[in-house]
């Protein structure tokens, strides 16, 4: 299937019929990476303990795996929201004890200040207006409660790939095309501050990826096909990329580094 004939997955392009399974597989694969696990654990920790019987909220909960992990740590009632019907079906299967609701990040169907904490991981990457999403998170968290954002910087990750992939600018163009906010990770601190949240803290976890992982995260093969089909593409680039990838995939040498930012901040108490 040529790259240009599939649907946008947020991880590149895939055939429509395979989309849910491919997406869920990508999310599960990404969640296994050590720095991603470390970033998730930090996000649960900095969200803090729930106050009384107040629930906590995961915006863009995806498969619901994080609902299960977070519930174990914070002991609160968890609510997840996601836009995707298929993700919600998966989340209901995995996180049966949590409430899972279909909603858009820009219009959270909750009253002001009802959650002890709100976290959101890798949604802003796909959000055309991340400020609107963060404003909603800041609205529904209680005064004093934390909003926690976990986002990678995909453009920075692409820039750390070997020169064969970066020198033409094609990979950067692909990442900019694939993600609404390819630099969401580097924006999270500012987004929280600009929404009037206080005590903003941030840290970065760096995942060193081998070529196979880099292909999953950045969709290098799909990028090569896309570049091959672009007008004026130099002949031979596709062949060079694919043979280089194939060779590197047989080893486990570092190929690129994905920075994953964790930022958190509190809603002011007055
Ligand atoms: C990359 S996945 C991350 C899922 C999960 N947070 C994780 O870390 O595994 C992004 C999720 O955000 C959801 N999503 C994207 N845009 C959204 C929006 N505007 N409102 C609600 N959910 C959205 C997608 O359906 C998808 O499940």
């Amino acid at each position: 299937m040529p790259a240009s004939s599939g649907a946008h997955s947020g991880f590149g392009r895939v055939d429509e019929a395979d989309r849910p399974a491919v997406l869920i597989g990508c999310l599960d694969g990404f969640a296994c990476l050590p720095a991603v696990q470390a970033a998730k654990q930090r996000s649960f920790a900095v969200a803090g303990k729930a106050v009384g019987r107040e629930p906590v909220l995961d915006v863009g909960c995806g498969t619901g795996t994080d609902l299960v992990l977070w519930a174990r740590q914070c002991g609160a009632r968890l609510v997840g929201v996601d836009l995707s019907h298929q993700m919600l079906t998966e989340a209901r299967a995995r996180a049966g004890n949590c409430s899972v609701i279909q909603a858009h990040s820009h219009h959270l169907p909750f009253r002001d200040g009802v959650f002890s904490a709100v976290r959101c991981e890798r949604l802003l990457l796909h959000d055309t207006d991340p400020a609107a999403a963060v404003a909603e998170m800041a609205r529904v968290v209680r005064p004093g409660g934390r909003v926690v954002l976990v986002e990678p910087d995909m453009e920075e990750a692409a820039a750390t790939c070997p020169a064969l992939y970066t020198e033409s600018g094609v990979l950067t163009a692909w990442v900019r095309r694939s993600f609404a906010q390819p630099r969401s990770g580097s924006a999270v601190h500012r987004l929280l501050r600009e929404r009037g949240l206080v005590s903003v803290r941030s840290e970065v976890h760096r995942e060193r990826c081998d070529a196979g992982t880099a292909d999953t995260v950045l969709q290098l093969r799909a990028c090569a096909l896309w570049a091959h089909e672009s007008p004026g593409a130099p002949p031979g680039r596709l062949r060079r990329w694919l043979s280089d990838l194939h060779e590197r995939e047989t080893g486990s040498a570092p190929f690129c580094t994905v920075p994953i930012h964790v930022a958190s901040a509190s809603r002011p108490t007055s």
Side-chain angles (χ1 to χ4, degrees):
M1 176 68 60
S4 54
S5 61
H8 186 256
S9 74
F11 291 93
R13 295 190 155 239
V14 294
D15 188 355
E16 194 65 48
D18 297 332
R19 198 169 179 233
V22 170
L23 259 175
I24 288 169
C26 282
L27 291 179
D28 286 344
F30 198 76
C32 289
L33 300 175
V36 175
Q37 290 188 348
K40 281 187 193 298
Q41 289 303 325
R42 278 299 290 158
S43 74
F44 302 145
V46 296
K49 289 280 173 208
V51 173
R53 294 172 61 82
E54 283 175 359
V56 297
L57 175 69
D58 192 12
V59 182
C61 64
T63 62
T65 304
D66 292 343
L67 293 173
V68 178
L69 297 174
W70 194 14
R72 270 188 214 138
Q73 301 208 6
C74 74
R77 188 161 65 80
L78 261 92
V79 179
V81 298
D82 202 284
L83 203 51
S84 153
H85 176 70
Q86 283 125 351
M87 286 298 169
L88 291 170
T89 303
E90 189 68 20
R92 285 187 185 112
R94 293 189 188 191
N97 294 336
C98 304
S99 311
V100 180
I101 297 163
Q102 188 166 35
H104 194 290
S105 55
H106 299 180
H107 308 284
L108 296 175
F110 309 110
R111 289 193 320 268
D112 291 4
V114 291
F115 292 100
S116 239
V118 178
R119 83 178 278 280
C120 176
E121 177 172 343
R122 283 182 299 128
L123 179 151
L124 302 182
L125 192 60
H126 307 289
D127 202 315
T128 49
D129 187 356
V134 178
E136 272 296 84
M137 295 178 218
R139 179 184 69 76
V140 300
V141 77
R142 71 173 166 80
R146 300 287 286 170
V147 174
V148 187
L149 305 176
V150 182
E151 290 288 324
D153 187 320
M154 298 306 260
E155 201 170 316
E156 197 181 321
T160 66
C161 290
L164 172 66
Y165 300 82
T166 55
E167 62 198 359
S168 63
V170 165
L171 187 54
T172 304
W174 168 255
V175 166
R176 288 182 182 163
R177 170 184 182 276
S178 298
F179 301 102
Q181 309 296 332
R183 305 223 56 194
S184 57
S186 297
V188 284
H189 191 102
R190 175 181 52 77
L191 281 165
L192 291 168
R193 218 185 38 236
E194 285 177 356
R195 298 283 67 74
L197 297 170
V198 295
S199 306
V200 186
R201 294 199 191 97
S202 50
E203 60 193 81
V204 190
H205 300 254
R206 294 184 193 278
E207 180 70 33
R208 295 188 67 175
C209 299
D210 59 23
T213 307
D215 186 23
T216 307
V217 173
L218 293 168
Q219 287 286 292
L220 299 171
R221 281 193 166 76
C223 171
L225 286 169
W226 172 72
H228 180 64
E229 289 170 357
S230 308
R237 181 195 286 153
L238 177 67
R239 213 176 42 247
R240 276 202 310 281
W241 275 37
L242 295 183
S243 67
D244 185 77
L245 252 188
H246 183 70
E247 237 171 68
R248 289 176 190 269
E249 272 172 348
T250 57
S252 57
F255 184 93
C256 72
T257 301
V258 182
I260 301 154
H261 295 249
V262 179
S264 64
S266 300
R267 179 169 164 183
T269 47
S270 56

